[in-house]
Amino acid sequence: MGRFIYDTGGNAVEIEDRTLAHLRIVIMNKLRRGEPFMFDVEVGDGSGRRSFWVHPAVPLQFHFYGSRQPKVNRAWVEDLMLAASGPSGLSIVPEPPDEPVEHLG
């Protein structure tokens, strides 16, 4: 279980490492493009939801507890990017089946 850490005040939510790795790709791409957005996530202890305004001026950390980098599901990254660019902002959508890589030859 990893942690998404927002700002320097210790605001954080726990997110499973695999999911966090995919969110990291989406968040870094949005910020690299200068596109701030809302990130809405359920709190792991069942106490509700938290919304974060993700902006390049706010420090972020992604703390992974596992040592292995998960395989990236490109279809999931695309679905998360679509959500982040939509009117409700980024939320964790279910992981779709990974699209098989076609080999030439």
Side-chain angles (χ1 to χ4, degrees):
M1 188 64 73
R3 295 182 83 194
F4 171 76
I5 305 166
Y6 184 82
D7 74 26
T8 58
N11 292 308
V13 290
E14 290 191 350
I15 299 172
E16 191 271 324
D17 274 357
R18 177 167 177 74
T19 303
L20 188 60
H22 286 76
L23 291 171
R24 181 182 177 276
I25 293 168
V26 171
I27 291 169
M28 294 295 89
N29 277 299
K30 293 288 286 178
L31 294 178
R32 186 179 297 122
R33 296 176 188 166
E35 300 173 1
F37 60 96
M38 186 64 68
F39 174 39
D40 190 53
V41 62
E42 289 184 25
V43 178
D45 63 6
S47 64
R49 303 183 68 75
R50 293 189 69 186
S51 294
F52 300 94
W53 179 245
V54 181
H55 187 277
V58 179
L60 302 175
Q61 292 182 48
F62 300 86
H63 183 179
F64 297 92
Y65 287 96
S67 60
R68 295 179 52 197
Q69 178 75 5
K71 182 178 181 276
V72 174
N73 179 335
R74 291 181 187 210
W76 197 12
V77 170
E78 290 175 14
D79 287 352
L80 291 166
M81 281 296 289
L82 283 173
S85 298
S88 298
L90 177 61
S91 61
I92 300 171
V93 298
E95 181 175 6
D98 197 6
E99 297 173 1
V101 177
E102 294 183 23
H103 296 280
L104 299 175

